[in-house]
Amino acid sequence: IDLATLKMDLETRVGVTASIFPFVALYILFGNSFLEEFFFRGWLVDLFQKTKWKWFMPSFLFAIYHIAIFLPWFDWPILLIALIGLFIGGLLFQWLNKASGTIYPGWIVHISADIGVLLIGFYMFYFNWNKCSYDLISTFLHIQCQLILPYQNWIQFWQKRQIPCHLLLTKA
């Protein structure tokens, strides 16, 4: 992954610079990740609940949604791998939410995945790294695994609170 090209695209096309990156990162971590979980694992899951597509479509649409973000940055083979990973991640988020009855466990895991991506952005903007090294990627994967592995505790935590997904989706 050529981080110099990625950084230039973020700065010129998207308008994300080192000075505003922390604010964008906070939005991605807490705002965007929640909106994605609410839409893809809340509303769409409820929409497809009574169909044979209830597991496939929300995860498929979640992966496709990210093409617009990734297309300028990756060659097709890497883009395809990323989309497969996003689809599998969407299935994992959906499974966590189904097991707990709420979107919060999936949101927490989503945040941990975003932390890995944003750490690469942090190094890119503030340490001028131009290439993703094997050591950098393996370090971020290790951090994500440490955040994701205790998911069973999150499921039990949310089950005790009895906050089902449909309560998050009902109109006030």
Side-chain angles (χ1 to χ4, degrees), residues 4-22:
T5 303
L6 175 59
K7 181 179 176 186
M8 184 172 44
D9 182 63
L10 284 172
E11 291 174 340
T12 57
R13 184 177 61 91
V14 183
V16 176
T17 62
S19 61
I20 65 166
F21 179 76

Side-chain angles (χ1 to χ4, degrees), residues 25-168:
L26 286 173
Y27 167 73
I28 288 170
L29 275 180
F30 300 109
N32 191 67
S33 62
F34 182 80
L35 292 173
E36 286 181 5
E37 288 307 307
F38 182 81
F39 181 74
F40 290 106
R41 254 73 63 190
W43 188 75
L44 281 181
V45 168
D46 281 355
L47 182 68
F48 289 104
Q49 189 62 40
K50 294 187 180 354
T51 72
K52 63 182 178 180
W53 301 101
K54 67 182 175 186
W55 282 93
F56 176 80
M57 284 307 287
S59 297
F60 174 75
L61 293 172
F62 176 70
I64 295 300
Y65 160 78
H66 286 84
I67 286 179
I69 299 166
F70 295 154
L71 193 56
W73 303 335
F74 302 131
D75 293 330
W76 279 103
I78 293 176
L79 182 64
L80 184 60
I81 291 168
L83 291 175
I84 291 168
L86 285 162
F87 178 78
I88 292 168
L91 290 174
L92 171 68
F93 300 158
Q94 196 169 333
W95 177 79
L96 288 169
N97 296 344
K98 181 170 176 39
S100 68
T102 179
I103 65 171
Y104 293 118
W107 183 37
I108 292 168
V109 175
H110 193 148
I111 287 171
S112 71
D114 285 347
I115 287 171
V117 172
L118 293 169
L119 284 173
I120 292 172
F122 177 78
Y123 280 101
M124 180 181 66
F125 276 113
Y126 303 112
F127 292 103
N128 293 320
W129 287 9
N130 293 324
K131 292 279 184 191
C132 276
S133 71
Y134 173 79
D135 291 338
L136 176 64
I137 292 172
S138 65
T139 299
F140 292 145
L141 288 175
H142 177 74
I143 290 169
Q144 286 181 306
C145 286
Q146 295 302 313
L147 292 169
I148 293 171
L149 287 177
Y151 71 87
Q152 187 64 36
N153 294 335
W154 295 335
I155 291 172
Q156 292 169 355
F157 174 82
W158 291 110
Q159 283 175 333
K160 289 178 186 173
R161 274 138 191 86
Q162 300 295 315
I163 307 171
C165 285
H166 72 276
L167 290 180
L168 294 173

